[in-house]
Amino acid sequence: MNTLSYKTISANKETVKKEWVVVDATDQVLGRLGSKVAKLLRGKYKPNFTPHVDCGDNVIIINADKVKLTGKKWTERVYLRYTGYPGGQREMTPARLMSRPNGADKLVRKVVKGMLPKNRLADQLLGHLYIYAGSEHKHEAQQPKVIDINLYK
């Protein structure tokens, strides 16, 4: 008789406990910040992580305009997109993207989106990401807790 019986617990929409967290992006390297935020959005730091369920937290990033890029990545990294027309390949550097309106939001969102899976769940997870260039946000009613992103792997 087997006395040790373990059951794999799979989270679903009703059993997931979502929290609100605030991440300060001041002097954080953009790629490392993006990968940790993507893990928070997916819920990979939680013990009941289930790959096909939205079990992550709602993440608020403040001071997104103060992120860092190492080396010459501000001017030499190139993000490509395609308009759909012949000859429609466009390129953008992070420096040009940051100089545009809502540039910090677009840059951080682009980095985090690239680190999420390429499926319908990723679109749903990106809806739980809120990015602000300054130190103020409008989600005080949710009582978010401030976390230090450097404590996560």
Side-chain angles (χ1 to χ4, degrees), residues 3-16:
T3 58
L4 294 176
S5 64
Y6 298 107
K7 299 209 185 267
T8 301
I9 299 171
S10 182
N12 60 21
K13 196 178 205 178
E14 289 77 29
T15 61
V16 169

Side-chain angles (χ1 to χ4, degrees), residues 65-90:
D65 56 345
K66 297 178 183 164
V67 294
K68 290 192 313 186
L69 284 175
T70 58
K72 298 180 182 177
K73 292 185 189 129
W74 280 112
T75 55
E76 292 186 4
R77 167 155 295 169
V78 175
Y79 295 124
L80 297 175
R81 65 183 178 88
Y82 183 62
T83 63
Y85 290 97
Q89 184 173 353
R90 304 288 187 252

